[in-house]
Amino acid sequence: MVEVRYTLGMCRIYGSEYNNTWREVSPQVLFKVKGAAGWEIRGEETTETVEIVEESVEELVEETVEIVDEDVDLSILTKKELQKLCDEKGLEYKGFDNKSVLISLLSDEEE
């Protein structure tokens, strides 16, 4: 016979109570509790062999940049976005210019 104990409080199997004390059990009970959470088997060493597999992964990333010459509705952009567009196109503006001034600068530049 083999001795087992349950370490997570109290458990009942086939009408018998198991708690934190060692008890002899039949092979049927041993089969039921072997490998279950909270159960210890006296004299059995639990050794797990873990195989670590290292793989080298190479990833090929293709970037495609699509240039679109569509008319953007400038009125839906924020002031910061309009200022950024002006900076990208090299247009000069003042920090206190409102959206309408920035939109007129950008639309004049497009024409």
Side-chain angles (χ1 to χ4, degrees):
M1 291 280 210
V2 179
E3 291 183 331
V4 298
R5 73 176 174 178
Y6 186 66
T7 59
L8 300 176
M10 199 263 311
C11 180
R12 185 178 297 221
I13 299 177
Y14 301 126
S16 299
E17 292 182 357
Y18 297 89
N19 53 20
N20 205 14
T21 59
W22 292 102
R23 291 192 51 184
E24 288 187 358
V25 294
S26 67
Q28 184 180 12
V29 173
L30 178 64
F31 179 75
K32 188 160 189 76
V33 301
K34 193 170 193 165
W39 289 92
E40 291 182 3
I41 301 172
R42 182 175 273 179
E44 181 179 88
E45 291 183 21
T46 57
T47 57
E48 295 182 19
T49 57
V50 177
E51 184 178 331
I52 299 174
V53 179
E54 291 186 27
E55 295 181 19
S56 62
V57 177
E58 292 183 27
E59 188 174 324
L60 178 62
V61 177
E62 278 188 37
E63 246 183 71
T64 56
V65 178
E66 194 173 314
I67 299 174
V68 180
D69 288 334
E70 292 182 14
D71 290 333
V72 178
D73 186 12
L74 299 175
S75 62
I76 62 171
L77 299 177
T78 64
K79 182 178 176 180
K80 291 219 179 258
E81 291 170 332
L82 292 170
Q83 288 173 339
K84 187 176 178 182
L85 276 175
C86 288
D87 289 337
E88 288 174 2
K89 295 185 179 192
L91 300 174
E92 291 187 25
Y93 62 92
K94 295 181 179 81
F96 55 84
D97 286 342
N98 58 18
K99 280 179 65 171
S100 62
V101 172
L102 295 172
I103 290 171
S104 65
L105 280 173
L106 288 167
S107 59
D108 288 344
E109 191 269 332
E110 289 176 2
E111 293 174 359

